[in-house]
Amino acid sequence: MKGGLVSIVIAGLTRNPLIAKGILTFVRMTDRNRGLRVKPAMTRIILGITFAVFPFVAMAQESEIIENIIEQMAENQEEEEMDFSILEDQLQQFSDNPIDLNHTTREELEQLPFLSENQVENLLYYLYRYAPMYSVYELQMVEGFDRETIENLLPFVVVNKEFTERKYTFPQLLKGGKHQFLSQTRGTLEQKRGYENGNYLGEPFYQSLRYNFQSKNKLFFGITAEKDEGEPFWTKKHKGFDFYSAHFQMNNVWKFKRIVVGDFRAGFGYGLVLNNNFSMGKSSYVLNVLPTAKGLMKTSSTNEYNFFRGAGATAKFGKFELSGFYSYRNLDGSLGDDGSFSSLKIDGLHRTQSDWDKRQNIAQQVIGSNLSFNYRDLILGATFAATHFNHAWLPEPAPYRLYYFRGTEQMAGSINYRYSWRKIRFFGETAIDDTKSVATLNGLSFTPLTRISFLILQRYYDKGYQAIFANSFAENSRIGNEQGVYIGTEIRPFKYWKLSAYADVFRFPYLKYGTDTPSDGYDVMLQADYAPKRNVNMYLRYRYKQKEKNVLFDVTNSVEEYDKATVRYVLKYRLNSTVQLQNIIEYNRTETRGQAATKGFLLAQDVTLSWRNPKLKTSFRYAFFDTESYDNRIYAYEKDVLYAFSIPMYYGTGSRFYANLNYTLNRHFSLWFKIAHTRYHQRESIGSGNELINGNRKTDLKLMLKYVI
């Protein structure tokens, strides 16, 4: 038998996946066949040696993996301000409390946004057939799991062959938990007009403080305090922070799967009624376009609008789960003489007297519930939400607002469904509101071959559909007045290569903001990824989008076709354990019928230096940009301090430099510092209104401190 063991190890050292699969099969047979008595400990050693020598396993730090995942998702966004803190908080929670693959659930795996539905299904099938897993490196044997997927997954999973659900008392949880303190300060060196003319009532810096506690993935609580730049901190008008938030969450208490009190988020079904969690949308993750986080979840974000405040719980009864919550909040908005409001102020800024006049004028109450049923390959759910305002919401009259919500009360309900059969999955959600308008989203995902996966989505959102907290897949900024079909595919034709593509055809049956007639359009993307070595990867992306919008000719608007073509090339290569480089080149061309075409260009060089002793990481970027019009603006993700995100807009002609430093003194204390400087050519001022800066330069500073005990 000793000779057999030696043969196994030698075969593993060949680094051939097919041989590795044979090794795994043999080891499983020896472990389960009484005639071949190989001790479990020896089995794990064999597997550890075999899979540890595989070339892809470059164990990057957990923080670096989280940063890379967010960067991959953020680089496809076309918005400057997006709240990625929800995603980072979610990933950090799984990093601190990894998923046990031998005792996981579909719901847990679906909260990892880089896993597609096909990959989740394939992993669950592998566990069903071969469980228990002996090592996380068995993930190589799961169909559809490539090197990038496994590297992203490793920080968030563990394998425990033995599992005992230990019960903890509340004092034990308090004693065995982790306390985290965070402080962030940021500001702009150049003075803005709002401080010069006295319109801004407060100090020219941002400050936030957070305290978070977590224990055994069962108990969470914390408090957040924040003031934005220009908001008063200690004046006659106001003393203290402008925004306070607190949360409390307990998991697996008696029949309750989860209990939340304070500030929390909710997401059910596919978001047609309720979803204020992170939502992917269209990106190079062509198979991951739907909301991932399900259920009720605490929030410690500094976002001052997108959350509920109250209490909720989820109870589990066999194959059924029942969730319910109540929320009461005061929102910002300007009240008219009749006591109504035309819009909500959602930026959370209270810098001027006008901002303060709108502060917390509107009371909002929300009741929501969800009932779900999960049996083998079938999932069914029903969601309901009712919202009440103490003042009537009456949008300003405009043709495109004809079907917008009006009144003090709004209700919507839906059913969601999913069924899996072999390698085919059918899913969707159909919703109806209190005006009897319908929204439906239906999809089909399948993997005909190991290296080929498809996703097809059909959506129909009635022009009159109104659900205040709806957030799902759409081209428009709201769920309503839209029809479309999306097709995405991911193909791995050769070793080291991955092709991703999507095509989305959409139509708006009624007017929308910026387009005074019914309109249509399409959006296509093709990306080729190539990773010939562990330390080298690159991709080339082409995207073309055509739609219709208003164009001003003389004094009248005309609806004309508008198209934008974008090419981006990114090359990442690690020279050694200390130096990593990245090159970014992006070019776009826009054209509106009846007008001359315009162009935009971005060239950026990134350098990242990492030292293990001391634990210091620094990132630098120098970028040059030249965009001829606002339509040619370019967004590019930047590395930032913890729980802060930067996707600046490059518009005009100029250059931008930033340096980001992360230093870990010990296991208790870490700090981040960032400086970013933008210089524009042939410009005498930056910004407008109270944000105007005289001159062509802008310098931003950020400092983050973290202390953990």
Side-chain angles (χ1 to χ4, degrees):
M1 189 62 197
K2 291 182 180 179
L5 294 178
V6 173
S7 300
I8 292 174
V9 176
I10 293 175
L13 293 173
T14 63
R15 302 183 178 184
N16 188 315
L18 293 177
I19 296 178
K21 192 167 185 177
I23 294 171
L24 180 62
T25 304
F26 174 82
V27 172
R28 290 190 179 281
M29 289 176 60
T30 60
D31 188 47
R32 294 168 181 171
N33 190 324
R34 295 182 179 179
L36 297 174
R37 297 179 180 177
V38 179
K39 295 181 179 180
M42 180 61 71
T43 300
R44 288 191 288 271
I45 291 172
I46 295 170
L47 285 168
I49 295 174
T50 302
F51 292 109
V53 297
F54 271 32
F56 76 85
V57 184
M59 294 298 291
Q61 293 183 355
E62 295 175 356
S63 59
E64 183 178 344
I65 293 293
I66 294 175
E67 188 177 79
N68 290 338
I69 292 171
I70 295 174
E71 180 178 359
Q72 291 168 30
M73 297 182 177
E75 67 183 4
N76 303 288
Q77 303 300 328
E78 294 187 349
E79 297 179 29
E80 186 174 5
E81 297 293 336
M82 289 197 69
D83 187 11
F84 285 95
S85 62
I86 306 171
L87 176 60
E88 181 170 19
D89 187 53
Q90 186 176 318
L91 293 175
Q92 191 62 55
Q93 182 175 326
F94 282 121
S95 176
D96 296 335
N97 304 277
I99 296 171
D100 182 1
L101 290 177
N102 282 328
H103 305 92
T104 188
T105 63
R106 183 193 306 273
E107 182 185 23
E108 275 189 324
L109 296 174
E110 286 179 342
Q111 292 185 56
L112 297 172
F114 50 84
L115 291 183
S116 67
E117 279 207 355
N118 289 331
Q119 290 173 324
V120 171
E121 289 288 345
N122 291 342
L123 178 53
L124 291 173
Y125 175 75
Y126 183 88
L127 292 169
Y128 168 77
R129 184 169 180 180
Y130 297 112
M133 293 180 69
Y134 295 98
S135 166
V136 291
Y137 301 117
E138 283 189 52
L139 291 169
Q140 295 172 98
M141 303 299 106
V142 180
E143 184 176 321
F145 275 54
D146 59 3
R147 183 175 68 189
E148 179 186 1
T149 301
I150 298 173
E151 288 181 344
N152 287 341
L153 189 59
L154 287 179
F156 312 113
V157 297
V158 294
V159 169
N160 294 320
K161 192 174 180 182
E162 302 296 332
F163 177 77
T164 302
E165 181 66 27
R166 181 179 174 183
K167 295 183 179 180
Y168 297 90
T169 64
F170 194 78
Q172 287 175 328
L173 290 174
L174 290 176
K175 185 177 180 180
K178 181 176 72 173
H179 304 265
Q180 183 185 77
F181 301 87
L182 298 166
S183 173
Q184 182 187 159
T185 304
R186 66 173 183 254
T188 301
L189 292 184
E190 293 78 13
Q191 191 173 40
K192 299 178 180 179
R193 176 182 287 177
Y195 303 106
E196 295 176 349
N197 59 24
N199 285 346
Y200 284 166
L201 305 175
E203 304 81 7
F205 63 86
Y206 169 97
Q207 179 65 55
S208 69
L209 298 175
R210 297 191 200 184
Y211 163 70
N212 293 316
F213 174 88
Q214 66 171 348
S215 180
K216 313 295 184 184
N217 200 29
K218 289 183 176 292
L219 175 63
F220 305 84
F221 59 81
I223 186 169
T224 300
E226 181 212 44
K227 73 166 289 294
D228 291 297
E229 295 178 47
E231 293 180 339
F233 180 72
W234 204 265
T235 64
K236 293 181 179 180
K237 187 175 187 64
H238 179 77
K239 288 180 172 57
F241 290 93
D242 176 73
F243 172 71
Y244 293 93
S245 171
H247 67 270
F248 176 90
Q249 177 177 316
M250 284 199 73
N251 297 335
N252 303 317
V253 181
W254 190 51
K255 291 290 186 179
F256 291 99
K257 180 180 179 180
R258 184 167 299 159
I259 299 173
V260 292
V261 179
D263 294 348
F264 61 94
R265 301 180 188 273
F268 298 105
Y270 293 99
L272 294 188
V273 172
L274 272 175
N275 178 38
N276 54 12
N277 287 303
F278 181 80
S279 190
M280 287 281 292
K282 287 182 283 190
S283 72
S284 58
Y285 285 86
V286 296
L287 304 179
N288 303 38
V289 296
L290 297 173
T292 56
K294 301 291 193 299
L296 306 173
M297 183 177 298
K298 56 88 179 175
T299 179
S300 59
S301 171
T302 55
N303 186 304
E304 298 183 34
Y305 174 74
N306 190 28
F307 65 91
F308 295 114
R309 175 165 290 174
T314 299
K316 188 174 180 65
F317 307 96
K319 296 178 176 57
F320 289 89
E321 285 187 7
L322 177 63
S323 300
F325 71 88
Y326 170 79
S327 170
Y328 181 94
R329 290 192 57 200
N330 290 316
L331 306 176
D332 296 347
S334 180
L335 297 179
D337 295 336
D338 60 354
S340 66
F341 64 98
S342 60
S343 63
L344 292 173
K345 186 177 186 295
I346 64 175
D347 58 14
L349 299 176
H350 305 109
R351 301 177 295 190
T352 67
Q353 186 59 49
S354 175
D355 292 337
W356 275 84
D357 293 339
K358 300 174 183 178
R359 192 172 189 262
Q360 297 186 357
N361 287 330
I362 302 158
Q364 177 198 69
Q365 298 183 73
V366 183
I367 296 176
S369 63
N370 173 266
L371 176 65
S372 64
F373 171 78
N374 189 339
Y375 179 69
R376 293 185 180 177
D377 297 324
L378 176 66
I379 297 177
L380 297 174
T383 304
F384 172 80
T387 305
H388 174 78
F389 297 99
N390 65 336
H391 297 281
W393 189 345
L394 302 177
E396 292 287 345
Y400 73 88
R401 295 195 184 111
L402 179 62
Y403 293 97
Y404 279 27
F405 167 72
R406 284 174 169 78
T408 58
E409 296 183 348
Q410 193 274 328
M411 293 184 293
S414 72
I415 57 171
N416 61 275
Y417 33 86
R418 178 166 62 184
Y419 180 73
S420 301
W421 180 72
R422 295 185 179 179
K423 296 184 178 183
I424 301 176
R425 281 159 289 285
F426 170 74
F427 55 89
E429 183 177 11
T430 299
I432 186 170
D433 66 10
D434 49 6
T435 68
K436 299 182 181 180
S437 297
V438 174
T440 183
L441 173 70
N442 299 284
L444 186 70
S445 64
F446 59 101
T447 307
L449 299 173
T450 303
R451 295 177 175 269
I452 302 176
S453 297
F454 290 95
L455 172 68
I456 302 174
L457 284 177
Q458 172 271 336
R459 62 193 184 275
Y460 172 86
Y461 308 146
D462 191 272
K463 59 187 176 184
Y465 182 71
Q466 306 162 0
I468 295 173
F469 299 102
N471 178 21
S472 188
F473 182 82
E475 171 67 24
N476 209 356
S477 58
R478 57 184 288 265
I479 303 300
N481 185 37
E482 182 173 334
Q483 303 168 15
V485 175
Y486 170 93
I487 300 177
T489 182
E490 190 173 275
I491 304 173
R492 293 175 172 82
F494 312 106
K495 190 177 182 180
Y496 309 130
W497 285 89
K498 181 177 75 172
L499 300 179
S500 306
Y502 73 71
D504 184 34
V505 181
F506 47 84
R507 180 175 181 269
F508 307 109
Y510 189 67
L511 325 181
K512 70 184 189 74
Y513 177 74
T515 310
D516 291 341
T517 65
S519 58
D520 53 35
Y522 61 91
D523 182 5
V524 295
M525 190 278 295
L526 173 63
Q527 177 169 314
D529 291 80
Y530 178 57
K533 298 180 180 179
R534 186 175 60 189
N535 62 330
V536 178
N537 63 81
M538 66 190 77
Y539 70 80
L540 177 66
R541 178 191 306 148
Y542 174 77
R543 184 178 182 184
Y544 182 83
K545 189 173 186 178
Q546 184 182 95
K547 57 183 181 180
E548 296 173 306
K549 68 173 186 176
N550 290 342
V551 178
L552 183 63
F553 289 106
D554 295 328
V555 294
T556 60
N557 276 333
S558 175
V559 177
E560 301 292 343
E561 285 186 356
Y562 160 82
D563 61 72
K564 182 175 184 179
T566 303
V567 178
R568 170 180 282 203
Y569 174 73
V570 175
L571 170 63
K572 296 182 181 181
Y573 46 103
R574 182 181 292 275
L575 298 182
N576 49 49
S577 60
T578 302
V579 183
Q580 180 174 329
L581 305 177
Q582 175 175 270
N583 306 109
I584 302 175
I585 302 174
E586 181 164 332
Y587 169 84
N588 66 50
R589 181 181 185 275
T590 63
E591 184 174 7
T592 303
R593 182 183 296 174
Q595 297 181 351
T598 57
K599 305 176 182 65
F601 179 80
L602 170 71
L603 176 63
Q605 175 66 60
D606 292 358
V607 179
T608 300
L609 306 175
S610 304
W611 293 273
R612 294 184 178 179
N613 191 18
K615 293 183 178 179
L616 177 64
K617 181 179 180 180
T618 56
S619 301
F620 305 92
R621 170 178 291 177
Y622 182 80
F624 173 78
F625 56 95
D626 185 358
T627 60
E628 297 180 359
S629 74
Y630 183 74
D631 288 337
N632 297 110
R633 65 193 183 278
I634 296 173
Y635 293 94
Y637 173 84
E638 292 182 351
K639 297 182 187 299
D640 214 316
V641 304
L642 184 67
Y643 292 123
F645 303 93
S646 180
I647 312 177
M649 177 181 68
Y650 294 88
Y651 168 50
T653 303
S655 60
R656 179 175 171 86
F657 166 83
Y658 81 80
N660 191 54
L661 178 147
N662 173 214
Y663 176 67
T664 303
L665 178 63
N666 50 46
R667 64 188 183 92
H668 299 293
F669 183 77
S670 303
L671 69 84
W672 290 257
F673 175 75
K674 180 179 180 180
I675 179 171
H677 179 77
T678 306
R679 179 177 180 270
Y680 294 92
H681 300 163
Q682 299 178 345
R683 184 183 292 190
E684 297 181 354
S685 63
I686 302 172
S688 61
N690 289 323
E691 289 291 288
L692 184 139
I693 296 173
N694 290 317
N696 67 338
R697 302 168 185 265
K698 183 181 179 183
T699 307
D700 297 310
L701 301 176
K702 293 182 183 180
L703 175 66
M704 167 68 83
L705 304 176
K706 183 177 80 168
Y707 183 68
V708 179
I709 55 176

